[in-house]
Amino acid sequence: MSKKGLTYAKSGVDIDAGNRMVELIKPLVKATARPGADAEIGGFGGLFDLKRAGFKDPVLVAANDGVGTKVKIAIETGLHGTIGIDLVAMSVNDLVVQGAEPLFFLDYFATGKLDPLIGAEVVKGIAEGCRQAGCALIGGETAEMPGVYHGADYDLAGFAVGAAERGAILPRDDIRAGDVILGIASSGVHSNGYSLVRKVVARSKLKWSAPAPFEKKKKLGSAVLTPTRIYVKSCLAAIRETQAVKALAHITGGGFPDNIPRVLPKNVGARIDLARIPVPPVFRWLAATGGIAEKEMLRTFNCGIGMIAVVEPRSADKVAAILRREDESVVRLGELVAAAKGKPRVTYTGHLDI
């Protein structure tokens, strides 16, 4: 009795499906072209011409990230169109914190069973994120890995590279007590704390298809998938037009207490007035439904502020005006203070409106 020969497809990997996905995403990738990057995907590596991008003496800045368990909600709801925006946002927001302009992006999409249409929908979001950030999507990798991922489950990773002119990298070395802290509003939960979000939803016994308790006219799944805001263009405008931005901090996992000190000298701390934070309704619902204490909220979520800027006091109003011109919602959160030895670097007055 002869045995039929095995094939790669029989082992669970469909090369033809991967090729179909590449053809589906080519127009999406082409739409992200910018000076310095205009090649079509399909080669073994992506090319970028720094000279054509207009830089004279650049320093390259790189960042990579994923979207955490938020991707699980996209899979469970079948809403794949915006998770790619999150993927781009989490890396390019880290680049602009260094004063860098994002130049190009690459993605990694891994799944148990590749559905080219789902893959293309994810990449559509990635391309939109790149468009918002002004960077080119110059390549990526799609991996079909049966046995590692279950069924159609997938995960994402993103890699961004940007550049800043030498001498223009943030944070600056003249940060001192008395500098003003501006807070730039978030679009919601962004892409951190979703393991806790999913626990709260499980406790509420609500389905993803149920009306969102905190947002009218939206289903719960769609509401919690609101994509991460991309701050690149507004922050670059403020940096370049004022020369008064000394530091930026992307408020991701760890919230204020972990992220703000990352851009401050060791002898400087931050004092934040929590009452000034415009807390979105989603955070009030999470806190109430999950019984989450204020301290835990501040350590897990952005609570309504996705980016903070440290600025010269005399230029705070000008920086805020430019950010608002670029469609950001800005509040004056507090100021930098001398750090007390052995005390938390970030201290608070008032309380969150939760």
Side-chain angles (χ1 to χ4, degrees):
M1 183 182 291
S2 63
K3 294 183 179 179
K4 292 184 178 179
L6 291 174
T7 65
Y8 208 11
K10 287 179 180 177
S11 71
V13 180
D14 188 344
I15 293 175
D16 291 334
N19 292 335
R20 286 196 298 275
M21 181 174 157
V22 170
E23 292 305 311
L24 287 170
I25 66 176
K26 276 186 177 181
L28 303 173
V29 173
K30 191 174 183 179
T32 70
R34 54 153 291 161
D38 52 16
E40 191 174 84
I41 60 165
F44 286 95
L47 304 177
F48 193 92
D49 186 338
L50 274 170
K51 189 174 182 180
R52 281 195 59 208
F55 287 90
K56 296 179 177 63
D57 186 19
V59 175
L60 292 178
V61 185
N64 72 294
D65 211 336
V67 296
T69 57
K70 188 173 186 177
V71 74
K72 189 69 175 172
I73 301 173
I75 294 166
E76 290 174 357
T77 60
L79 301 173
H80 308 284
T82 61
I83 200 73
I85 299 175
D86 291 291
L87 185 67
V88 175
M90 295 306 289
S91 286
V92 297
N93 284 342
D94 282 354
L95 292 185
V96 78
V97 159
Q98 307 269 184
E101 174 187 340
L103 301 176
F104 58 87
F105 189 86
L106 301 99
D107 70 279
Y108 176 74
F109 177 96
T111 184
K113 177 66 177 175
L114 180 62
D115 182 326
L117 293 178
I118 291 176
E121 189 71 7
V122 171
V123 174
K124 182 178 179 181
I126 294 172
E128 171 59 19
C130 288
R131 187 195 66 77
Q132 291 182 25
C135 64
L137 178 57
I138 67 169
E141 172 69 7
T142 301
E144 197 170 20
M145 301 166 66
V148 175
Y149 296 94
H150 177 70
D153 280 357
Y154 63 83
D155 197 12
L156 302 170
F159 310 85
V161 174
E165 293 291 358
R166 198 176 304 274
I169 296 172
L170 298 181
R172 285 171 22 184
D173 59 8
D174 60 344
I175 296 170
R176 57 178 58 91
D179 286 339
V180 170
I181 301 171
L182 298 178
I184 310 174
S186 68
S187 55
V189 184
H190 284 186
S191 295
N192 296 101
Y194 272 84
S195 293
L196 181 52
V197 170
R198 291 167 61 237
K199 283 284 188 183
V200 173
V201 171
R203 173 180 283 195
S204 75
K205 298 191 179 343
L206 291 173
K207 295 187 179 298
W208 296 123
S209 57
F214 51 85
E215 191 168 350
K216 292 181 180 179
K217 299 181 180 178
K218 275 195 173 184
K219 293 180 179 179
L220 180 59
S222 176
V224 298
L225 284 172
T226 298
T228 306
R229 189 161 182 83
I230 292 176
Y231 298 100
V232 169
K233 292 183 179 179
S234 58
C235 286
L236 286 177
I239 292 167
R240 291 168 176 173
E241 293 180 37
T242 69
Q243 308 297 313
V245 177
K246 295 185 176 185
L248 295 166
H250 185 199
I251 307 304
T252 55
F256 289 156
D258 286 3
N259 288 293
I260 295 177
R262 294 169 68 182
V263 300
L264 301 180
K266 293 188 182 300
N267 63 337
V268 176
R271 183 166 57 218
I272 305 289
D273 184 352
L274 296 179
R276 294 187 180 184
I277 297 175
V279 180
V282 60
F283 294 112
R284 295 196 197 100
W285 181 78
L286 288 168
T289 307
I292 307 171
E294 181 180 80
K295 184 177 181 181
E296 184 68 16
M297 291 291 294
L298 287 166
R299 188 92 191 269
T300 306
F301 301 115
N302 66 65
C303 295
I305 298 295
M307 183 77 74
I308 69 110
V310 175
V311 302
E312 296 174 357
R314 64 183 179 181
S315 302
D317 289 343
K318 183 177 181 182
V319 171
I322 290 171
L323 290 169
R324 291 186 182 111
R325 184 197 73 197
E326 299 295 319
D327 296 324
E328 302 291 3
S329 179
V330 184
V331 293
R332 189 160 173 155
L333 282 183
E335 63 181 359
L336 298 188
V337 296
K341 191 172 182 180
K343 299 292 184 181
R345 297 281 300 284
V346 180
T347 57
Y348 308 105
T349 61
H351 292 280
L352 289 173
D353 180 19
I354 54 174

